[in-house]
Every structure is written in C-alpha cells, then in structure tokens.
Amino acid sequence: QYLYRMSPSRPVALAIACLSLLGLSRSLAYTPKYTPKSLLSRRRAFGVGAAGFVGSLSPLFPSPPAVAADDDKLIDVYFGCGCFWHVQHEFAVGEIQILKRKETELTARAGYAGGTKVGKDGRVCYHNLSAQDEYGKLGHSEVVALTIPESSFGDFARIYFGLYDKKGDRPDQLGDRGGEYRSVVGFPGGYSNAKLTSVLKSVSDEYRGVVQVKEGRGNEGDNRQSTYVMDTTKFPFNRAELYHQFHDGFAPGENYPASYNNIKNVLNEKGLLDDTSCPYI
C-alpha cells in the first residue's frame, strides 16, 4: 500500500517505503512544528520506551493546560492541509498536550471530506488498482477528523495554521497537488457558524493572515493561501483505510516511532478503530 501512493514527485516517499520493507529500525522522530506560542522546536527528537508514544511525550509537556469542564460541548471537526499522514501526527500530539488524552482516547483519524459525491454503498476510498470509489474522483480532500471540546477549537486551529509557512504554503505545496490535497476546515454549521468562523479567522490573523478563510461549497480546487470552511453536516467525514492511520509522513524527520505507528493496532484490537470495506490496494 505504501508503494502505490508513490508518484514521480515523491522520491522521498519511495526511499522511506524501501527502508520500511527492508525492516530497518526507526530512530528519528520529532514533535509538531506548531504548539501554541512556539513551545517546542519542530524537530526535537525524543526516545520511546515501554510507556509508548504518549509516555514519550510527557517530558516535553510537563504542565499541560487543564482539560475543559465536563459541560463543555464536544464537536466533530476536521482539518485538511495536504497529505493526511503528517497532519494526523500533529493533531494526535495536540490531543495529548491540550486535552491530556491517553493513547486509547485519541480521536484523530485520517480520512476524506469536502466532496459532493460518495461511491458504492457510501464508500470513499483511497487510490486502488481497481479504481473503485476513489476519493479524488468524488471531489474529496485528505483530512484529519477529531472530536474536541468547542472551547479548545482555537488551540487546534493554531496547530492547523502552524503547519503553513510564512508565505501561506502548506508543507507539501510543491509535491502533492490538486483538489485531493486542498486546504479545508470542517465544523458544525460551516461558514454560517459565526462563532467558530470568527475564531478561525482570528487565529489565521495570529499567523500573519496569509491563509485566507473562505466559504466552502464542495469540490474546490487546490488554491494556494486559501482554506475552505465546510459544514460537517453537508460535507461529512469519511474515515480512511486502516493502513493510513497513524502512518509515517513523507518529509525527512517524519519517520515516527514504532509506538506511534502501533496506535492503530491498539485501537483496532480494542474495537475503537475498524478497517473500511475499501479495496486494500
């Protein structure tokens, strides 16, 4: 499944895939490039012991913010900014830092959203050799979905806008191209949700305002320096195949620790993350 994702524009990915097939150990990992007020450097390495991925992060976040009150409304949101592999890692770490969630409590899931069509039996799938229900052909973009307290939306928006560079380009802007990789943000009510739209725009301004927040209508193209706000009711999240979950990224330094990759197996064994009915390849 790794090799099928490769394209001529992804030489780094091919190298990573080959190393993986050879069974070489993963020794390099880094914390997310964001964090509110730049608490961490983008490529700070950390070791992984018996405590696993979450345990390995605890020294980096000695005093996490308090969890939201029990009466804080939970909302389903999603964020898209190019390839979802790297983005899922950033938001999973965000859940640990901001919400103090444990490994089995993580809600970050890679998937597809923003299109106006679905395939057979409501499926939306990754590229596959039989070309069945492929997400790009259905108008969707790669995204990462989460369930978070509404009061923490601004913090997760900071993770999102922290992914872009000072020109407003996403990390893979020159590699992954097309509507499949466009930037989107989904939440209940979409652009008509004045409260969350205002928060999103305010956070964008904190990051120089180079990424414009626009109303999404579905099937948008890949327009630089723009992110489209989608209504999660009209444009719901479609979870991606199991092999895409908690996956290594493409860029150098995005070869995450094995304990992170293994989260999908832990969640699957506990019945918290099933595979889809999409073709395996």
Side-chain angles (χ1 to χ4, degrees):
Q1 68 271 21
Y2 307 126
L3 293 176
Y4 189 76
R5 188 176 174 89
M6 303 306 119
S7 71
S9 65
R10 287 173 158 173
V12 174
L14 181 57
I16 291 174
C18 291
L19 289 175
S20 178
L21 290 173
L22 288 172
L24 298 181
S25 63
R26 295 167 176 166
S27 60
L28 180 62
Y30 73 96
T31 54
K33 79 181 265 189
Y34 102 100
T35 68
K37 306 303 180 183
S38 301
L39 292 177
L40 300 171
S41 64
R42 185 171 191 268
R43 299 190 180 278
R44 180 175 175 185
F46 53 86
V48 179
F53 176 68
V54 173
S56 72
L57 292 176
S58 57
L60 302 179
F61 308 120
S63 301
V67 177
D70 292 339
D71 59 352
D72 194 357
K73 180 174 66 174
L74 292 175
I75 57 173
D76 294 323
V77 300
Y78 57 73
F79 298 88
C81 181
C83 175
F84 48 21
W85 290 347
H86 163 69
V87 176
Q88 184 179 27
H89 177 268
E90 305 296 282
F91 281 104
V93 174
E95 286 191 83
I96 295 166
Q97 179 196 19
I98 298 167
L99 304 178
K100 297 190 289 188
R101 286 177 174 167
K102 300 177 181 178
E103 207 167 83
T104 55
E105 297 171 336
L106 297 177
T107 64
R109 301 288 187 268
Y112 319 104
T116 57
K117 299 179 181 179
V118 295
K120 179 181 179 181
D121 298 325
R123 295 193 313 183
V124 179
C125 305
Y126 192 68
H127 304 298
N128 56 86
L129 295 178
S130 55
Q132 296 182 31
D133 307 328
E134 293 185 343
Y135 75 105
K137 296 178 181 178
L138 297 171
H140 296 278
S141 175
E142 295 189 12
V143 302
V144 172
L146 309 100
T147 299
I148 59 175
E150 187 177 59
S151 63
S152 69
F153 179 74
D155 288 325
F156 285 90
R158 291 183 180 91
I159 298 177
Y160 181 66
F161 286 110
L163 296 171
Y164 296 87
D165 66 17
K166 62 182 180 180
K167 296 180 180 179
D169 289 338
R170 61 174 190 268
D172 59 355
Q173 190 73 58
L174 299 180
D176 293 330
R177 305 179 185 180
E180 299 172 3
Y181 305 103
R182 68 185 182 272
S183 298
V184 298
V185 177
F187 48 76
Y191 203 79
S192 64
N193 184 328
K195 179 180 179 180
L196 294 186
T197 298
S198 177
V199 171
L200 193 66
K201 289 182 176 180
S202 294
V203 175
S204 176
D205 289 341
E206 292 177 20
Y207 287 82
R208 301 169 299 278
V210 293
V211 179
Q212 299 299 308
V213 176
K214 302 179 179 180
E215 182 176 8
R217 302 182 184 278
N219 304 335
E220 283 81 13
D222 183 14
N223 297 308
R224 298 175 79 165
Q225 302 173 339
S226 298
T227 188
Y228 295 94
V229 177
M230 315 302 296
D231 184 343
T232 52
T233 301
K234 297 178 180 178
F235 302 96
F237 172 74
N238 302 276
R239 182 166 44 81
E241 298 81 352
L242 185 63
Y243 66 83
H244 280 305
Q245 308 298 331
F246 303 96
H247 197 291
D248 288 341
F250 273 117
E254 293 177 3
N255 205 21
Y256 307 127
S259 56
Y260 171 77
N261 304 137
N262 191 54
I263 291 174
K264 66 176 175 289
N265 299 319
V266 173
L267 295 177
N268 180 255
E269 291 172 0
K270 293 183 176 294
L272 300 174
L273 178 59
D274 296 328
D275 205 350
T276 69
S277 62
C278 290
Y280 185 69
I281 186 171

